[in-house]
Amino acid sequence: MSRFLRIFRQVTVEPVLFVFMLCTFLKDPVNQQLIFRKTCIQLYNESFCADNFTRKACGKSLSEQENAIQKSSSEWIFYNSVAYSVPSIISSLLLGSWSDKFGRKVAILLPLIGLSIEAISSILNAHFYDASPVYLLYGNILSGIFGGFSTILMALFSYMADITKDKSNRTLRIGLLESMTFVGGATGELISGVLIEKLGFMAPFITILSLITIIIFYILFVLKESYFPNQQSRFFSLDTFHGSLKVWIKHRPQNNRIHLLLLLAVGFFVPILIFTGTDDVLILFVLHRPFCFSSSMIGYFLAVFLVVKGVGVLIGMPVMTRILKLSDTTIVCAGIITNIASTVFMAFTTNTWQAFLAISSAIFSGIPVPAVRAIMSKLVGSDEQGSLFAVLASASSVGTLVASSIFNNIYKVTVSTWPGLCFIVMSCLLLLPLSLMIYFRICIKTPDDHLEVNDADTLIDSEENVA
């Protein structure tokens, strides 16, 4: 009992990420299916779509109409990604460095407020079912202005870096926090299809609005602030942007600046491309022949995908770090290899059981992103964590935008010939971070080797501040 209470007391921002991811992964598949239905209605009519685009009606006689709807839906998904990502890139850069001066809680709250506004917008879009998909853009724009997905990740991981002063424990704690992405996401996707089929498109968004309201009260009245800067700064200034960029151009010992840039450009950005690119095309892929998944089947499929990844992070990372004593770079390599295997398998699937087996083979594919985050956080000082995670958050937004542009366009061009080609492209791109990690492992062993230097610098800075 005492051990359970000790673990419970260590819980801080994990419920926040769990709820946010539950709501995000509940929202995304519902939005994509809503886009598919609205696009069909815009191109044809509601009765035509109801009669022909269900699992029972899926067949070869409507291949031309189906391809037209798939192509148009892919375009609208891309437009929604742009509407969400562009404002969130700016917001996350601003709020990241800002949180290093004023604390983390406000930066956590703002994206939740934005998500609640988007939920209200989506409720209206679901109510006016036959309205154009263009109206979905407004909610995405507003949510992006409030920081969106990237800003809350920045704030939560900065919070975790603040409270894990023991850097040897940081990889595990960040990995466990990252696992909330998969646990919460799997829960959201599991219930998404059931809610659509049983209660319609409005029910998921009402659920999101209710959960976000509860977690906002948790942050306001339960969660404690993690970072208290020594000096006050102006509320907003150009220095907030400069602070986010300075962490990348600052001279560091042992070539750590080069290592940071390589980790950002290849080790972090490419896995983000694959993660978000998969999200963009996977639903359209399983809606297409020969799968023709129903809404509930899509929910189960996506939930299994995230559960598999979550198990890999929750069990795999503690085993690899605590028991096997593997280096961070080796852990990242293991995750990338399983991701490559999964995407290649998915490209050649032709039936339902193969699709489920393909996603099951991605068990460690959720590990690379949190592991690379942990490596990078160990290479900078405690007063740079917010700025570091701000740029990582913005890189996530840019990755979402780039991935949507690349993979939606590939899918749109190849949907009538080989829809799985985009997964082959993903597997080829993953060879880049794999090569980088092998280089680090062989030539540098691991960036952890340089932590003693960085820790000493941080200690000297702290002593000078006290003096």
Side-chain angles (χ1 to χ4, degrees), residues 232-308:
Q232 291 296 319
S233 304
R234 290 165 59 187
F235 195 72
F236 284 114
S237 71
L238 291 176
D239 290 341
T240 57
F241 288 102
H242 181 258
S244 293
L245 299 176
K246 185 179 178 182
V247 68
W248 304 95
I249 60 176
K250 175 182 175 181
H251 176 72
R252 299 180 187 278
Q254 305 287 344
N255 292 321
N256 279 349
R257 180 174 62 182
I258 301 297
H259 298 159
L260 273 174
L261 292 172
L262 284 172
L263 286 166
L264 173 66
V266 180
F268 180 81
F269 189 73
V270 173
I272 287 291
L273 279 182
I274 307 310
F275 183 85
T276 55
T278 302
D279 285 348
D280 267 12
V281 301
L282 192 57
I283 291 177
L284 292 177
F285 183 73
V286 296
L287 279 170
H288 195 267
R289 292 179 293 107
F291 306 103
C292 302
F293 280 8
S294 64
S295 293
S296 58
M297 181 62 78
I298 289 172
Y300 301 145
F301 180 72
L302 296 176
V304 169
F305 195 14
L306 280 178
V307 165
V308 167

Side-chain angles (χ1 to χ4, degrees), residues 40-41 43-53 62 65-66 69:
C40 183
I41 293 170
L43 291 176
Y44 303 101
N45 58 66
E46 190 168 348
S47 61
F48 173 85
C49 298
D51 292 340
N52 293 287
F53 292 105
L62 294 170
Q65 293 93 325
E66 183 184 10
I69 296 168

